[in-house]
Amino acid sequence: SLREDLHLQECARAGRTKYAPLFIGGMVLYRGYRGRLDHRADQLLLMLAIGHAFIAYQTPYALFVAGCYAVFALAAAGRLPWLAKPPLLWLGRLSYCLYLVHQNIGYAIIDLGYRLGLPGPAAVALALATAIALASLMHHAVERPALNWFRQYRERKRPQPRMAAP
């Protein structure tokens, strides 16, 4: 119905304005980790993204988001080496695919778990396991092959150095 379509459009708009700064902040921190910062522009983007957290989220969540930025910044600077453990690195590789599936799949699995009579924690554990399994499948079947293809394409399209005429 028109009402449902308008509601979905409003949710999409709200999601972009609420979550886009989190992605931007993450990208800036990653650029810093890779040594590719445009210091003034990236510092400004990061400050705006952090400031946005205090506008878009209520106080306890805003502080949580600011704390996450601090943890990511410290990790990117190499100050939290205990985060570089294989299981956490594996989850980091799955993070985008996990982001894509966790909410809708999670709610559906939790709802199914309740309808099957599972206790709440068991339904949540089932949802978490399902989301991680799906994210892993997507990462290996879609994300990695697409990234490999893109890297090969980019290498083929990169201008080759020309040799000077003798």
Side-chain angles (χ1 to χ4, degrees):
S1 75
L2 178 60
R3 178 183 232 177
E4 290 171 342
D5 289 344
L6 291 174
H7 176 72
L8 289 174
Q9 289 174 5
E10 181 60 32
C11 288
R13 268 194 299 282
R16 283 193 300 270
T17 58
K18 193 170 185 176
Y19 301 116
L22 300 176
F23 283 100
I24 292 167
M27 287 186 283
V28 170
L29 290 171
Y30 179 75
R31 285 170 48 95
Y33 169 75
R34 300 291 289 188
R36 299 180 186 158
L37 282 179
D38 175 353
H39 288 287
R40 289 189 192 265
D42 285 332
Q43 286 173 354
L44 177 63
L45 276 173
L46 188 56
M47 288 188 321
L48 288 171
I50 292 169
H52 174 269
F54 289 96
I55 296 167
Y57 304 103
Q58 294 179 356
T59 302
Y61 299 110
L63 294 173
F64 173 76
V65 170
C68 288
Y69 276 120
V71 168
F72 293 146
L74 289 169
R79 305 233 186 234
L80 299 176
W82 56 271
L83 285 177
K85 301 290 185 224
L88 294 176
L89 295 173
W90 176 74
L91 282 173
R93 285 189 293 275
L94 299 183
S95 64
Y96 184 68
C97 293
L98 193 54
Y99 160 76
L100 292 175
V101 301
H102 81 282
Q103 187 173 12
N104 290 330
I105 297 296
Y107 285 144
I109 298 295
I110 291 169
D111 183 56
L112 176 65
Y114 283 138
R115 284 189 279 131
L116 293 174
L118 293 176
V124 170
L126 179 61
L128 182 61
T130 303
I132 290 172
L134 283 173
S136 182
L137 178 66
M138 287 172 57
H139 174 71
H140 291 287
V142 179
E143 187 179 25
R144 281 178 56 184
L147 185 57
N148 288 337
W149 176 86
F150 176 74
R151 287 178 177 155
Q152 291 170 0
Y153 176 81
R154 189 178 58 192
E155 270 306 307
R156 286 192 309 267
K157 294 296 181 181
R158 183 172 286 160
Q160 299 298 321
R162 295 184 181 179
M163 298 186 65

